[in-house]
Amino acid sequence: MNDFLARMETSSRTRLAAARGVATLESVRRQAEMIPTTGLTSGFLLFAEVKPVSPAEGSLATSGFRELVGAYESGGAAAISVLTEPSQFGGSMELIEEVVAAVALPVMRKDFIVDPYQVWEARARGASGALAIARMLDAETLEAIAKTAREADMFLLVEVFDEADIDAISALDLSEGHLLVGVNSRDLTTLQVRPDAHEELAPMLPEDCVAIAESGIDSPEQVKALTSFGYHGVLVGTSLMRSDDPAAAVAALVGAGVEA
């Protein structure tokens, strides 16, 4: 694991310990089970992201998130991805609640999750999905997080960066509807996007998985290429956060994915 992920793991475990000090797993689960989840639709999936800060590009937004996600929804996004990591991405658990209150779409917690508790914590704030990074987790923990997502009636986007990560998730039953695979083309050592990563890794993915391309996506032409490689959707953050017309930007990307 590189230094960036190691720092993020340490931060996540610190936040996890603080959360456990406030509420037990049992109490969080009871609260979570009172909150309904929203399933993903079928067809091309565009995860439109709320990311206050980009470690690679700096501050993206400090307010106006309700208006932003409303534009994402009107543009045709399938789901909203919300960063909840505070130190590098400016996120928070309260941001999930703000977004959930503003849209009817499923909302996904994007963070450096290290424990099943954090999946229930996300649902208790209204999230319908969560992201887990395969290389941060041993096989037992990843399986436990996947099982928890299923029990919580949430989807789980399992993120991979290379062939070794794809091998590491081979034990998961990716034919289950709640599990998706996200291929991230950003090198987390340099924070630079590797332009050929999505095409390179696509043939290595399990045939029965729902594959989502992540990072460096900002044009309909890219979306068309990604669907031709076999991806079922994309996760787009920085380019939408910087767009002057996020609804139109989402609509253009979704249109390219549907047409391809």
Side-chain angles (χ1 to χ4, degrees):
M1 191 189 308
N2 64 48
D3 288 346
F4 179 79
L5 280 182
R7 292 198 307 273
M8 292 299 94
E9 179 182 0
T10 298
S11 171
S12 182
R13 292 193 183 281
T14 299
R15 288 182 285 127
L16 171 64
R20 285 186 181 277
V22 174
T24 65
L25 173 61
E26 291 73 19
S27 64
V28 171
R29 180 166 180 164
R30 284 196 299 271
Q31 179 184 354
E33 289 175 339
M34 297 172 63
I35 299 173
T37 59
T38 304
L40 292 169
T41 59
S42 58
F44 182 78
L45 301 172
L46 187 141
F47 290 75
E49 190 156 271
V50 177
K51 178 166 58 176
V53 176
S54 164
E57 300 193 34
S59 178
L60 299 175
T62 58
S63 62
F65 298 116
R66 283 177 174 263
E67 294 78 8
L68 176 67
V69 298
Y72 287 168
E73 185 171 36
S74 65
I80 308 294
S81 169
V82 178
L83 266 296
T84 57
E85 198 289 321
S87 67
Q88 295 295 310
F89 295 89
S92 67
M93 297 304 293
E94 290 73 23
L95 186 54
I96 284 184
E97 293 180 313
E98 182 178 353
V99 171
V100 167
V103 297
L105 298 174
V107 174
M108 178 181 77
R109 179 186 188 180
K110 189 177 181 184
D111 206 324
F112 299 84
I113 287 176
V114 294
D115 190 273
Y117 180 102
Q118 293 164 304
V119 176
W120 285 112
E121 183 183 33
R123 180 172 172 184
R125 298 297 186 115
S128 295
L131 179 143
I133 299 175
R135 69 173 54 177
M136 288 184 63
L137 306 166
D138 58 39
E140 182 178 359
T141 304
L142 181 57
E143 177 61 39
I145 288 172
K147 179 181 178 182
T148 298
R150 182 171 61 249
E151 291 174 350
D153 194 27
M154 297 169 68
F155 63 86
L156 184 71
L157 182 63
V158 183
E159 188 170 88
V160 300
F161 296 88
D162 56 24
E163 185 175 2
D165 290 343
I166 294 172
D167 290 341
I169 67 171
S170 61
L172 296 177
D173 184 358
L174 296 173
S175 65
E176 294 190 21
H178 78 293
L179 293 180
L180 304 86
V181 177
V183 178
N184 194 335
S185 65
R186 189 176 298 280
D187 184 324
L188 289 186
T189 300
T190 65
L191 297 181
Q192 299 300 307
V193 171
R194 298 183 295 122
D196 300 328
H198 292 130
E199 182 177 7
E200 172 190 327
L201 295 175
M204 305 176 192
L205 296 172
E207 291 184 3
D208 56 359
C209 79
V210 176
I212 307 297
E214 305 176 49
S215 293
I217 301 161
D218 59 13
S219 73
E221 291 72 26
Q222 284 175 295
V223 170
K224 289 179 181 179
L226 290 165
T227 55
S228 74
F229 302 151
Y231 289 95
H232 303 88
V234 294
L235 188 153
V236 185
T238 300
S239 67
L240 293 180
M241 294 288 298
R242 291 200 183 282
S243 174
D244 293 332
D245 190 345
V250 167
L253 298 176
V254 171
V258 170
E259 293 171 6

